[in-house]
């Protein structure tokens, strides 16, 4: 399980963009988005660095929690 802080995530559009970015590298990933705390928990077979890179390509900076 990877948990990431995404400070710029604030709305449903942000959530959708991040989910799409993660699905682009792992379509089977399970994603739990917490908009209030601006974090995402991702259960994926893909490593953390790849997830962070995909989210960055989607327009959002993220860091491990």
């Amino acid at each position: 399980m990877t948990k990431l802080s995404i400070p710029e995530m604030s709305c449903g559009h942000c959530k959708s963009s991040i989910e799409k970015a993660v699905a682009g590298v792992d379509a089977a990933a399970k994603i739990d988005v917490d908009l209030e705390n601006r974090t995402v928990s991702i259960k994926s077979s893909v490593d953390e660095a790849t997830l962070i890179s995909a989210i960055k390509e989607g327009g959002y900076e993220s860091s491990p929690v």
Side-chain angles (χ1 to χ4, degrees):
M1 177 76 73
T2 300
K3 187 169 183 180
L4 301 172
S5 171
I6 306 178
E8 297 173 4
M9 180 177 66
S10 61
C11 66
H13 178 265
C14 298
K15 175 182 182 278
S16 177
S17 295
I18 291 163
E19 289 172 338
K20 184 176 179 181
V22 171
V25 293
D26 183 1
K30 302 287 185 214
I31 307 165
D32 182 32
V33 178
D34 182 344
L35 279 174
E36 184 178 336
N37 292 310
R38 298 181 183 198
T39 61
V40 291
S41 297
I42 306 167
K43 188 171 187 177
S44 172
S45 59
V46 177
D47 64 85
E48 183 178 273
T50 301
L51 294 170
I52 289 172
S53 177
I55 291 169
K56 184 171 186 166
E57 286 180 28
Y60 297 88
E61 293 293 329
S62 62
S63 59
V65 173

